[in-house]
Structure formats: structure tokens, C-alpha cells
Amino acid sequence: MTSIAKPPVKHPTARTNGLGLTLRDYEGAMSTLCAGCGHDSVTAALVQAAWELELEPHRAAKMSGIGCSSKTTAYFMKQSHGFNSVHGRMPSVTTGAAAANKGLTYIGISGDGDSLSIGLGQLSHAIRRNVNMLYVIENNGVYGLTKGQFSASADVGSTSKKGEANEQAPIDPVLLALTLGGTFVARSFSGDKRQLVPILKAAIAHKGLALVDVISPCVSFNDHDGSTKSYAYTREHEIEAVQADFIPLKREITLPETGEEVRTVELHDGGRVRLRSTAADYDPTNRESAYAHVRACQARNEIATGLLFVDENGRDMHDHLKTVPTPLVDIPFEQLCPGKAALDALMPRYR
Amino acid sequence: MSGVNDFAFKMGTVNGTGSASANGLLMQAIFRMGIPVTGKNLFPSNIQGLPTWYEIRVSKDGYRARPSALDLVVALNPATYAKDVASVRPGGYLLYDSSWPLDPDLVREGITILGVPFGRMCVESFDGDRDRTLLRNIAYAGALAALLKIDTAIVETMLSEKFGKKPKLLDANHKAFALGFDYAAAHYDCPLPFHLEPMDKTGDCILIDGNAAAALGAVYAGATVGAWYPITPATALMEQFSAFCAKYRVDKATGLHKYAILQAEDELAAAGIVIGAGWAGARAFTNTSGPGISLMQEFIGLAYYTDIPAVFIDVQRCGPATGMPTRTQQADLLSLAYASHGDTKHLILFPADPRECFEMTVQAFDLAERFQTPVFVASDLDIGMNDWMVKRFDWDDSYRPDRGKVLDADALKKIERFSRYLDVDGDGIAARTLPGVGGKGAYFVRGSGHDKHGLYTEDAEAYQELVDRLRRKFEGAADHVPKPLISHQAGAEVALVTIGGCEAAVLEAADLLRAEGIHTDYMRIRGFPFNADVRTFLGRHEHTFVIEQNRDAQLRSLLQIELGVTRDTMIPILDYAGLPLTAGKVVSAVKAHLAEVPA
């Protein structure tokens, strides 16, 4: 992972958040991705979201696999621990880290190659376990680092830069997550920061796995007329299910009444997501109708975006594991080792 | 052999018919009579219907290896009659179910054939096919008790312990046991010439299998995260860990767990979970077998290259491929030593019995954290799944985990800059920080090229510096892994070198050889990288035999590669058919070589 350190210069008038940190404090190394890469916009949205959420950088862990997308973790929150693991296996490493230390905020960044091909099994099981993490898929339909092969999310008929058409049906991570019982499922577009930032904030605050599929065009290999993951195509075909705002617990802001239908979803940590439906009948708490909406958009060659489904009552991995509130890494050894007396008492069982 | 408290017998049955509990009962009763005993379960990779055997060896001298000859065989599976009869030593005995006419397969000159109508007695005494089948096993245990003079009071106590809360079952078991006992006592000259007399040689011992022992070790070491994928013969290890955690690690007030056990979707994920948890600061481990190790290779290399502690307990079985899942081998040595692509080398501990499984599992966590690297415990099916008589386990309450070099927030304040892979002490081990620590402790784990600060680089010198540091670290571990066990006999010209569970057979072989005037020095290797004592021992003898359970002499290869010992100076004795090693095999191989090449 190439990384070039940014000079630590702060503008004297830069705004600070409640922790006294500026946006620059949430940045990472200089990106080495291609100029205009959608992934860099996702990075910017993550910086913004973390700054607004007032995340303590050292209490967050950035997790990724391998590929262009997985470089993202190097480009934000330089004061967080990061883990750039192996291809497609970020979910298991995050699962282990989260099992060991439930006290941290886990931000996983992956791509369509990393998550929908080699890592499909691990993604599925992370959803099934409901690991408490943000899981971003930077989805561009193409393998960038190996120069332009189709990924598993490439749509039928979408062409490569050389003009070859894809014939295999795509895997849609949003439908996958809805099917597997995902408790927070959203899709956004790297070119739409207004939509993406509040979704990321709500996703980080969500208890359980929050899957955010971000259409993030590859300017080098998949931003041409025949692509369905280009900037132009995504802008023209995006259908937003709901317009979401995230309101953290500590600074509650009441939106002015607009007369439109507004729903509020209480998140586990006390924060709220306010959802303003763009379609009058859209219900983001109904898994079946969310699934139907995504399928209907697909049938019309449209891209369903927004917070598509949320369930704040789901049990996360630690609920299933029935672990104590204290992170396992913080339990003193004396409480873990049964000691000599217990061993002596156990031995007769083997007589 | 063959005498009072010195003989071996075998039951040939069909798996899934309940014979395991009768066999376990026999072995434990002998153990409770104070007589050293060993049990080897030779079972098929199948749930129901295939042949299965259980060998019990009684040894007043405490030998624990698989017996070289059988004094008595209980033939209860018609499918294996011929084979079972052939396995009786000349002059030995055969016990069969005489409910049916004597099968011609069972007739053999030079052995005594005893018949007891187990099937007919059980049909007459019990209702229901299932009960009749299950109780036939207890009936043959009863006959053996009469023939071998097993203390029936002990058996009664054991049956009461097992079925005390189920009076109906208890009565049925007592009745079945008496059926077999009484018939044998009435019809045969009991006890047989080889039989049992109470001793007092098991008082400070227990009977336990290596998987349970390693699981207990993980609990005592303070492991909090276990991730795994079911695989024979390692499965029971995590199941036992789970049971021990339920006993010792559940908060009484809330019922909540001070541990996390994750059954992963596959071995790849299990390894990833262990590495993620290790990175986050937990003592984490997985249990697996050869095919699982194959799947974990990529992650093992990542942990090695990024200095992350992780413990892998490999309960070896027969390979390659699926191989024979219920047969034992020591054929993962090379694949553990150099697991994953690129230049890698890993720490390995080699337990010889369940007691060492307990102790070495604890050591493995200390070494993994001290050296920030994957550590393997190379057990095998024979150690892991068979009950072994071992000295009861001890624990020193002053033990504290060796967490290695971990910088906390206070320590970080005292240094100007934290560099993740900087070798400050010259031992190749750099200090780490755990995720969540404040200040300047944050760093980035990357499997790609990185320098001593943890930053990405493809710089030639920085890469080489890093991999050289890893080698230095590995070499330093040679002084910290368990030393070899070495013993000398006066005037020995022959050396026996072995590893793991082969020890039981090799020590017995050394005694048998000495009785024939062949004196041997002995070394059992217990850790990798090889301790300096290993090098010192090798090459001092005219004949050095390296005894191991694989086809390709993997231990010998490791000794050659790592220590430069010439292959020609190490004579391999290889046993790789999948069954526990016998002393007889070692003795005959040594003698055959010495006969060929006179000293």
C-alpha cells in the first residue's frame, strides 16, 4: 500500500469538533489512487462522517483486504490502528478483533472484487454473525489493480474499456445482505456526498453490521459509455429511496417541519436517523418491501440508493456469544485462569 | 510379556453399536485397580457399521506404547473374524460370540478358543433390538472381567457413577455384566494365566486424552478467543474448551461469558479470526488438522510477516488430501515448519502425551506473544483422541502470562516516536501496541512490503532488513522452546532420536535392546527451532536412528536443513501406516540395520 505522508499543517481558522479536532485530524496519508477515483470521494465522506461523529481516532480500527478499495484505510484517520489483511478476508480478521475488543469502532473497507468474489463467503458470514462494524463496499464493477477485468458486480451487457460485454449475472451486495438478514443495508454513490455522509454516520452508530454499498466509479477502467458503474450512468439512473439525516445523541437537532413524511429510527447508541421518503410508500423497516424495491429498480435498469433497510432490534455477534460487557482483552488474567485449587479439584474426574 | 499385569487384548466390534463405552469401562476399571494401562481406539472414518477395534495393554512396568502382540482377541464382528484370529499371538486366546455355530474363520491351531453366547443371552434377557445390541458389549466386558480377574466391585461402582440416576439402565447393565461374568466363570478355568492383580502404580496419575488436555491448557493460559472449523481428529479440542469455559468462565451473577468461541465458516476464516483477535490483544487459538493447516497457509504467512501472535493446535492425521481422517501420523512437520509462501519459519512444540499437551499449550501462548508470531502445537490423533495414563496435572498459581513487548499509553509517553518494527533490543522482537491505545501508538498492519516504522515500502534494503529481523527472531526462539529430553546409557554406540507420541514405543524399544546388549542414547525433540542441545547430541554416535511417523523422514529433513547434519549419518525408521507405533517395530528395524552394517 503506497502512502505519502501529508504535511501536518493546520489552518488557524479551521473548525474543530467537540474533541477539538479539525477535519485534517481525520485525514490519513496522501492517496495514490488515480486522480478522480470514486474511492477518494468515499474517503472524504468517511473523514467528514468521523469528524462530525466526533469519533476518537484511537478508538477506531480500520480494516481492509486487498485491492484499490482496500487502500482507502490508509487515507483517513491516521491516528487509528489499521489492518490491511489478505484478499477477501477482512471480515474474519475484523470478526476476531471485534470478538477480542468490543470497545472499538470497526470500520471495514472493501471492494467488489474483494467482497463479492474471493471474499463472498466471509462477507456472508460476517452479515450472518452481525459483527458490529461498518462494512463499506467501494463498488466499481471492475478489477482496477490488475487493469480492467470484470468483477462479480459487473452488470450483464456492461462493457469493458476494450468493448467486450459482460455476460454473467452480477452479484448485488444489497440484495445479498437483505437476504442474509443484514440489519443495516444502504447503497450510495461516491459522487453524492450529501447522501453518503449521513448514511455512513448512521451506519457507524448502528449496532451490528452496517453494509454500505457505494457505487464508486473507476476512472481508469470503468468510466466510459458502455459501463453501468460510470459517473454518468450512476447519476442518470440513481433512484433514492429515502433521504437520510443522522442526528447523534449528544447534539440533537430537530429538522424544520416540511410537511413531507418523516420517519425517525432510534439507533442503539441513542442517535437517530431521520428518513424522508422520496417515494411515499417506502418503508425502510420492512425487509420484504426493501428487497422488492431494489429488484424493481434493477428491472428498470435503475440503481436503488439511500438507506434501504434498518433493523435496530437485531442481536449482534456479542449478543449471540453472550459475552460480558467488559472487552475480553480487558479482563484480568486472574479472572481467566481457574488456578491450582480448581485443577486439583478437577483431577479426580479423570480417575 | 504375557503374565500377571503384563498382557494385551483387543476387541473387534462394529462402530455405532456402543462398544466404546464397554471398552472404556474395562480400561478405567484396570486403571482403578492401580495397574498401568493403555488404550488405543482404532476406529473407522464412519458413524455406523464399519469395523472398529480397541486395544488395551496392561503393563506393570508402565509401558504405554501400542502392544506388539495380543494375548487375547475378542472377535465380535464377523466381517473381521479372519483378520482378528490372525492377530492372536501363538498360544493366545480368542473369545467369540457362540450364539452362532463356530465360524471356520475362527479355527486356528495353537490358540485357545472360548465361546460365550453373548447374543443369545441378551436376546433372552432384554427387550428391544437397541438394548440387546448395547448390552451385548457389557456382557463381553463381564466375561473379560471373569477371565482377566477385573475387580467387579470397581465395575459396580463405575456403573453406579454412570447410571446412578437411571435405575432401569443401571439394573440392565448390572444384569448384562453378570451374564457374561457368570457364563465365563462357570464354563472356563478362570482366570486365564495372564490376568490382573491389584497394584498401586496409578495413584498420582490420571487417564486423559490430549485434546481435553490441550483445551484445559488453553483455559489456564488465559485464552479468550477460540475459532475453529470442525475436523477430525481436532474437533473435541474446541468442544472441551467450550465445556471448560462453561465451567470456569461464566459470570455467576449474569450468566455472561468471559470468552468467545466462534465456529467459523471454514479454516481460512478460523485463522483470520485468531489473527484479528491476536492483533487486538487477546490470547487466541484454533484447533485443526492437516487439511485445515493447508487452508490456513496464507494467513499463517501474514501473521508471520506482520508479527502477530497466534496459536495453532494441529492434531495430525494421515494425509495427503483427505487421507485417513481417523488414523494417526506425524506428516505435517515440514508443512508446519515452513507454512505459507515466501521465506517463512515457524515455532513448533511437539507434545508426547496429554500431560505435555496441557503444558505445551500454555507455553505456546507465551511464545506466541513473546515472539509475536504463529506457534504450532503438533499433536496427533493418537495423543489427541486416545486416553493416556499420565501424571496428574500441576499448576503454579504464581504463573503470569508472558505478554511480550507491549507498549501501553504510559510507555508511549516516554518515547519520542513509536516504530512498530524497530528492533531496539537486537533480539529481532519489536515492541507492539494494541488497538485502542492513545497517543502515538497507532500503526498500520500490512502484508505488503513495510519498513521498520511499519510504513509501506518496496525499498530493497528495508525489505531485507525486515526479513532478516524475522530470521533473527526465529533463531532466538531456539533457546525458549522446550529443550530435548536426552538420556544416556553407558557405552552406547547407538542413538535413538524421536519426536512426539513415538516416545512411548522408543523408550520401550531402548529397554528391549538393552536386554539384548544394545545400549542406546536417547533424544526426544520437543521444539522447533532446534535447541543447541539437539545439535550437540547428533553426530556423536556410530548409528543414529531417527524414528518418526511419516513416509519421507520429515524430521530428518528438518535436522538436515536447519542444522546441516548429513543425511547419511541419520538412519530413518519410518512408520506411516496410520496406527500408533509399537516397540517391536523399532527393535526389529534397529537390529536389521545393525546386522547389515556391523558396528
Side-chain angles (χ1 to χ4, degrees):
Chain A
M1 191 114 331
T2 31
S3 55
I4 302 161
K6 290 183 188 175
V9 182
K10 275 187 198 172
H11 196 278
T13 62
R15 285 173 58 209
T16 55
N17 64 8
L19 300 174
L21 299 173
T22 67
L23 269 178
R24 292 298 306 274
D25 294 315
Y26 286 85
E27 292 179 348
M30 196 82 84
S31 171
T32 58
L33 295 166
C34 309
C37 177
H39 299 359
D40 285 336
S41 308
V42 179
T43 304
L46 282 162
V47 167
Q48 184 79 30
W51 181 74
E52 289 181 13
L53 278 176
E54 298 176 359
L55 281 187
E56 289 183 277
H58 72 276
R59 299 299 296 169
K62 307 170 296 181
M63 316 298 291
S64 62
I66 294 289
C68 292
S69 60
S70 291
K71 295 181 171 209
T72 301
T73 40
Y75 306 148
F76 67 97
M77 292 173 80
K78 59 181 172 292
Q79 292 189 52
S80 305
H81 270 69
F83 200 131
N84 191 207
S85 60
V86 292
H87 202 197
R89 326 233 195 262
M90 173 273 280
S92 64
V93 177
T94 310
T95 300
N101 190 348
K102 59 162 75 168
L104 305 182
T105 299
Y106 293 93
I107 300 175
I109 314 288
S110 182
D112 40 322
D114 196 56
S115 273
L116 303 181
S117 290
I118 186 168
L120 188 64
Q122 295 223 334
L123 165 63
S124 301
H125 287 272
I127 293 170
R128 189 172 157 250
R129 286 192 189 99
N130 209 14
V131 180
N132 191 8
M133 68 181 294
L134 162 64
Y135 194 121
V136 175
I137 298 179
E138 295 176 339
N139 187 347
N140 57 19
V142 77
Y143 281 82
L145 271 182
T146 49
K147 302 193 173 182
Q149 300 80 13
F150 289 120
S151 84
S153 73
D155 291 306
V156 174
S158 183
T159 63
S160 71
K161 203 174 175 184
K162 290 176 184 163
E164 186 188 352
N166 176 49
E167 292 183 4
Q168 292 184 70
I171 294 172
D172 182 336
V174 159
L175 291 177
L176 181 82
L178 285 169
T179 307
L180 292 173
T183 52
F184 186 110
V185 185
R187 173 139 57 209
S188 192
F189 172 39
S190 65
D192 187 356
K193 206 172 168 185
R194 171 198 61 87
Q195 184 195 54
L196 180 56
V197 172
I199 285 178
L200 290 173
K201 286 162 70 181
I204 290 169
H206 173 73
K207 181 192 168 205
L209 190 142
L211 182 96
V212 183
D213 180 42
V214 185
I215 306 300
S216 174
C218 171
V219 287
S220 293
F221 297 103
N222 210 13
D223 194 30
H224 47 83
D225 288 348
S227 165
T228 59
K229 300 264 190 301
S230 66
Y231 279 110
Y233 187 94
T234 310
R235 280 211 179 87
E236 284 160 21
H237 295 82
E238 184 187 5
I239 299 293
E240 191 172 22
V242 287
Q243 192 184 324
D245 285 303
F246 176 74
I247 303 157
L249 175 65
K250 22 194 159 171
R251 279 189 286 113
E252 187 166 336
I253 302 157
T254 315
L255 286 182
E257 277 303 326
T258 58
E260 294 170 86
E261 191 197 349
V262 175
R263 300 188 50 158
T264 303
V265 178
E266 302 274 350
L267 295 181
H268 182 76
D269 74 339
R272 293 173 181 179
V273 198
R274 292 178 66 104
L275 306 155
R276 188 177 300 107
S277 287
T278 52
D281 59 345
Y282 192 81
D283 178 5
T285 62
N286 183 319
R287 191 181 297 275
E288 282 69 33
S289 61
Y291 191 91
H293 170 74
V294 176
R295 294 284 287 170
C297 287
Q298 234 172 28
R300 298 192 299 266
N301 290 328
E302 292 169 349
I303 303 160
T305 65
L307 174 51
L308 298 163
F309 176 75
V310 60
D311 171 11
E312 272 302 308
N313 300 315
R315 286 156 56 79
D316 82 343
M317 178 176 75
H318 279 285
D319 293 332
H320 292 295
L321 291 170
K322 299 189 181 68
T323 52
V324 291
T326 311
L328 296 177
V329 289
D330 292 335
I331 300 176
F333 176 72
E334 292 69 24
Q335 288 186 34
L336 298 174
C337 179
K340 179 174 170 53
L343 190 69
D344 289 344
L346 179 70
M347 287 296 102
R349 188 205 278 189
Y350 297 99
R351 289 282 307 166
Chain B
M1 79 187 239
S2 191
V4 173
N5 291 345
D6 193 9
F7 60 93
F9 60 107
K10 173 172 92 168
M11 278 68 66
T13 55
V14 178
N15 75 325
T17 58
S19 54
S21 46
N23 299 335
L25 179 86
L26 288 167
M27 166 143 162
Q28 203 175 354
I30 297 167
F31 177 77
R32 287 195 188 183
M33 289 174 74
I35 309 162
V37 64
T38 299
K40 300 291 182 199
N41 189 12
L42 315 175
F43 61 108
S45 178
N46 187 59
I47 302 298
Q48 223 170 60
L50 289 184
T52 182
W53 292 271
Y54 196 80
E55 291 179 352
I56 293 181
R57 178 178 186 187
V58 179
S59 170
K60 59 180 168 37
D61 301 317
Y63 292 123
R64 303 186 298 177
R66 188 176 168 232
S68 297
L70 295 163
D71 299 286
L72 167 67
V73 172
V74 184
L76 292 168
N77 180 5
T80 61
Y81 276 171
K83 196 175 169 186
D84 291 343
V85 171
S87 68
V88 181
R89 71 160 166 84
Y93 287 75
L94 181 86
L95 176 65
Y96 81 106
D97 189 338
S98 60
S99 306
W100 297 276
L102 187 67
D103 192 293
D105 271 351
L106 291 171
V107 181
R108 191 186 126 196
E109 289 294 313
I111 63 167
T112 307
I113 298 176
L114 313 174
V116 178
F118 299 113
R120 198 177 68 231
M121 294 191 305
C122 287
V123 168
E124 286 164 2
S125 306
F126 305 109
D127 296 324
D129 289 348
R130 184 72 186 149
D131 277 2
R132 287 166 174 169
T133 306
L134 291 173
L135 290 165
R136 196 170 79 125
N137 299 298
I138 301 298
Y140 77 66
L144 287 170
L147 293 165
L148 303 175
K149 213 176 157 192
I150 291 173
D151 186 337
T152 51
I154 289 177
V155 175
E156 274 171 31
T157 307
M158 289 174 61
L159 289 176
S160 299
E161 284 169 11
K162 194 170 177 190
F163 301 112
K165 286 172 186 161
K166 298 168 185 166
K168 217 179 138 189
L169 266 176
L170 180 63
D171 285 351
N173 275 275
H174 272 307
K175 191 171 166 186
F177 188 82
L179 283 175
F181 187 96
D182 294 345
Y183 188 97
H187 292 81
Y188 301 113
D189 194 8
C190 291
L192 299 177
F194 50 89
H195 61 265
L196 305 160
E197 295 291 352
M199 293 179 83
D200 59 351
K201 288 180 89 172
T202 64
D204 61 345
C205 292
I206 54 170
L207 275 184
I208 192 169
D209 66 70
N211 284 341
L216 196 59
V219 173
Y220 271 76
T224 52
V225 178
W228 71 303
Y229 187 75
I231 185 169
T232 303
T235 295
L237 203 162
M238 196 60 81
E239 289 174 348
Q240 288 283 322
F241 181 69
S242 180
F244 286 128
C245 284
K247 186 176 169 75
Y248 296 120
R249 294 267 191 82
V250 175
D251 184 74
K252 284 195 180 70
T254 60
L256 295 175
H257 301 174
K258 293 174 186 171
Y259 61 94
I261 297 172
L262 292 128
Q263 185 185 320
E265 55 270 35
D266 51 40
E267 281 91 347
L268 292 79
I273 290 167
V274 169
I275 286 162
W279 167 69
R283 290 194 146 189
F285 75 105
T286 187
N287 56 318
T288 190
S289 191
I293 293 290
S294 292
L295 289 170
M296 293 173 179
Q297 298 264 330
E298 185 187 25
F299 259 135
I300 291 166
L302 176 79
Y304 171 79
Y305 189 47
T306 58
D307 295 71
I308 294 175
V311 170
F312 298 78
I313 304 176
D314 176 22
V315 188
Q316 299 169 89
R317 68 188 212 189
C318 270
T322 304
M324 297 196 288
T326 60
R327 297 287 185 244
T328 197
Q329 235 176 30
Q330 298 171 316
D332 295 351
L333 305 187
L334 287 169
S335 76
L336 295 182
Y338 306 118
S340 193
H341 55 272
D343 287 319
T344 53
K345 290 188 180 194
H346 306 292
L347 276 58
I348 316 174
L349 310 183
F350 303 101
D353 64 21
R355 187 181 161 89
E356 281 197 343
C357 284
F358 174 71
E359 293 169 348
M360 286 188 181
T361 299
V362 178
Q363 282 178 304
F365 285 101
D366 284 339
L367 291 166
E369 289 204 297
R370 183 186 188 101
F371 291 97
Q372 300 174 29
T373 196
V375 174
F376 296 99
V377 179
S379 177
D380 61 39
L381 181 139
D382 180 25
I383 299 171
M385 289 189 74
N386 283 321
D387 278 333
W388 288 61
M389 191 184 93
V390 292
K391 196 168 166 293
R392 50 180 293 151
F393 301 168
D394 298 324
W395 187 254
D396 178 357
D397 277 334
S398 68
Y399 168 85
R400 286 295 173 277
D402 182 351
R403 304 303 310 267
K405 299 176 190 175
V406 180
L407 299 179
D408 60 13
D410 289 338
L412 284 166
K413 278 181 199 146
K414 292 173 194 151
I415 57 173
E416 197 177 329
R417 179 187 178 185
F418 167 65
S419 294
R420 172 62 182 97
Y421 299 115
L422 189 64
D423 182 6
V424 177
D425 305 320
D427 56 5
I429 308 168
R432 64 176 179 147
T433 59
L434 303 181
V437 71
K440 44 194 170 274
Y443 72 97
F444 209 98
V445 178
R446 41 168 66 81
S448 50
H450 48 271
D451 63 13
K452 60 191 170 200
H453 307 297
L455 300 174
Y456 176 85
T457 184
E458 292 179 8
D459 179 77
E461 282 175 29
Y463 171 81
Q464 207 160 312
E465 187 183 331
L466 187 110
V467 292
D468 284 344
R469 176 181 65 76
L470 292 175
R471 183 178 56 195
R472 207 158 54 243
K473 185 170 86 162
F474 173 80
E475 286 164 357
D479 295 334
H480 294 267
V481 298
K483 287 180 179 231
L485 286 188
I486 292 174
S487 64
H488 297 287
Q489 290 180 17
E493 286 181 3
V494 169
L496 305 176
V497 175
T498 194
I499 197 162
C502 289
E503 167 160 279
V506 177
L507 287 179
E508 184 182 349
D511 287 352
L512 294 170
L513 288 167
R514 183 165 52 189
E516 298 193 34
I518 302 167
H519 295 264
T520 58
D521 284 346
Y522 173 75
M523 173 168 71
R524 175 164 64 89
I525 291 166
R526 301 199 304 159
F528 184 76
F530 297 122
N531 191 274
D533 295 353
V534 175
R535 186 196 295 272
T536 311
F537 182 91
L538 292 169
R540 287 192 164 180
H541 304 84
E542 192 107 12
H543 306 277
T544 299
F545 295 90
V546 180
I547 303 138
E548 53 185 312
Q549 289 198 289
N550 56 70
R551 187 194 64 183
D552 292 340
Q554 296 190 23
L555 175 62
R556 187 180 70 154
S557 291
L558 271 182
L559 291 166
Q560 184 199 5
I561 296 166
E562 296 294 328
L563 300 178
V565 183
T566 334
R567 284 174 79 87
D568 302 346
T569 65
M570 298 182 284
I571 307 131
I573 296 179
L574 305 170
D575 176 82
Y576 47 91
L579 300 174
L581 185 63
T582 64
K585 175 141 192 170
V586 179
V587 169
S588 52
V590 169
K591 282 164 68 181
H593 177 85
L594 294 180
E596 246 175 61
V597 189

